[in-house]
Amino acid sequence: GLSLTQGEIVIATAVASDPATADAPRLFEFAIPPDTAPNQYTVTGTAGTDQVQVQVQVVAGGGVLVVGTDKAKYKPGQDILTRVLCLSTELKPVVTDVTVAVKNPEDLKIFQVVQQTDVYGVAVVSIPVATETAQGDYTITASAAGAVDAEGVVTVEQYVLPKFEVTIDLPEERVMVKGVQTLKVTGVVSAIYTYGEPVPGSALVEIAGVPQVTRWFGWGGPEMMGMAMDVAPEEETG
């Protein structure tokens, strides 16, 4: 059979509704007493000398809470944008008052507010962080009547973005522009962090012409085709 326990206390037991077969497992049903407190419990199954245990969560009629933040790490002075989701046991949104509290690394409560969830079961709370504050892990706790409390942890610390290197890969061929025309140059711009990961984002690329010293060779007048070549200043003969 199966038993639902918390520590050494047996909350409920269950017997299979149908005998087991080679093609179908046994089905068990628990009748959890209505005064059972919301908490984590252990379900133990015994068959002969074998024993299996799994952890289950018993929640109140108000449902469950989920805490999320827009990022995991903040600088002092940045607001912590927090979202709390409240769902019923049928996973439907619940409109209710939610209490959001914050404790600093010294376990001191520094913030608390009560806010009602919207029709989607969501409450959005902006938590201010002082510019001169203790650095470390901050614990965000959400609670509502009849629901299991939920927690989230974020880090507040001074940090700098990692350095990265930008490289441009262009074709080595020289391009000569004669007159006014449209010139298309294809290349690759790469940005890589010093630890090897690519940098996401957008790049602003500016292209400027570089004057070249050239010598022209031609016979028969200016209508003849010429060619361009790089010439170092000391090679010019006039």
Side-chain angles (χ1 to χ4, degrees):
L2 293 183
S3 61
L4 180 69
T5 62
Q6 186 180 39
E8 301 296 328
I9 302 174
V10 178
I11 307 300
T13 58
V15 179
S17 56
D18 297 300
T21 65
D23 299 326
R26 289 185 177 181
L27 300 178
F28 292 83
E29 292 184 0
F30 278 107
I32 300 177
D35 58 348
T36 302
N39 212 324
Q40 191 172 48
Y41 294 83
T42 302
V43 175
T44 304
T46 304
T49 58
D50 296 330
Q51 187 179 80
V52 178
Q53 290 186 334
V54 294
Q55 301 296 315
V56 297
Q57 188 81 23
V58 175
V59 299
V64 294
L65 295 171
V66 180
V67 174
T69 56
D70 59 329
K71 54 185 179 179
K73 185 178 293 186
Y74 299 83
K75 292 182 179 181
Q78 292 182 332
D79 289 351
I80 302 174
L81 183 61
T82 305
R83 290 180 176 86
V84 180
L85 174 64
C86 184
L87 299 175
S88 68
T89 53
E90 292 80 22
L91 299 182
K92 294 182 179 180
V94 176
V95 178
T96 185
D97 287 336
V98 174
T99 301
V100 178
V102 181
K103 289 186 178 181
N104 66 7
E106 285 77 29
D107 202 35
L108 299 175
K109 184 182 294 186
I110 61 171
F111 178 87
Q112 180 170 309
V113 68
V114 178
Q115 188 162 324
Q116 188 180 68
T117 59
D118 58 20
V119 294
Y120 302 104
V122 176
V124 179
V125 178
S126 182
I127 302 170
V129 178
T131 54
E132 300 293 334
T133 188
Q135 299 188 37
D137 291 340
Y138 284 66
T139 303
I140 304 170
T141 303
S143 58
V148 179
D149 292 355
E151 287 188 353
V153 178
V154 297
T155 302
V156 175
E157 65 179 14
Q158 288 287 0
Y159 63 91
V160 294
L161 294 175
K163 295 182 179 180
F164 59 90
E165 180 183 10
V166 178
T167 59
I168 302 178
D169 184 15
L170 293 173
E172 296 182 358
E173 294 82 2
R174 301 182 186 275
V175 179
M176 181 181 68
V177 179
K178 184 178 180 181
V180 179
Q181 57 182 329
T182 301
L183 177 65
K184 181 179 180 181
V185 179
T186 302
V188 178
V189 179
S190 302
I192 304 295
Y193 286 116
T194 53
Y195 54 82
E197 293 295 326
V199 181
S202 301
L204 175 62
V205 179
E206 295 183 356
I207 300 177
V210 179
Q212 298 289 327
V213 179
T214 59
R215 174 182 295 170
W216 288 88
F217 297 91
W219 294 267
E223 69 277 6
M224 298 294 294
M225 178 65 68
M227 71 175 187
M229 58 180 289
D230 291 338
V231 179
E234 62 270 17
E235 294 178 351
E236 293 192 84
T237 58

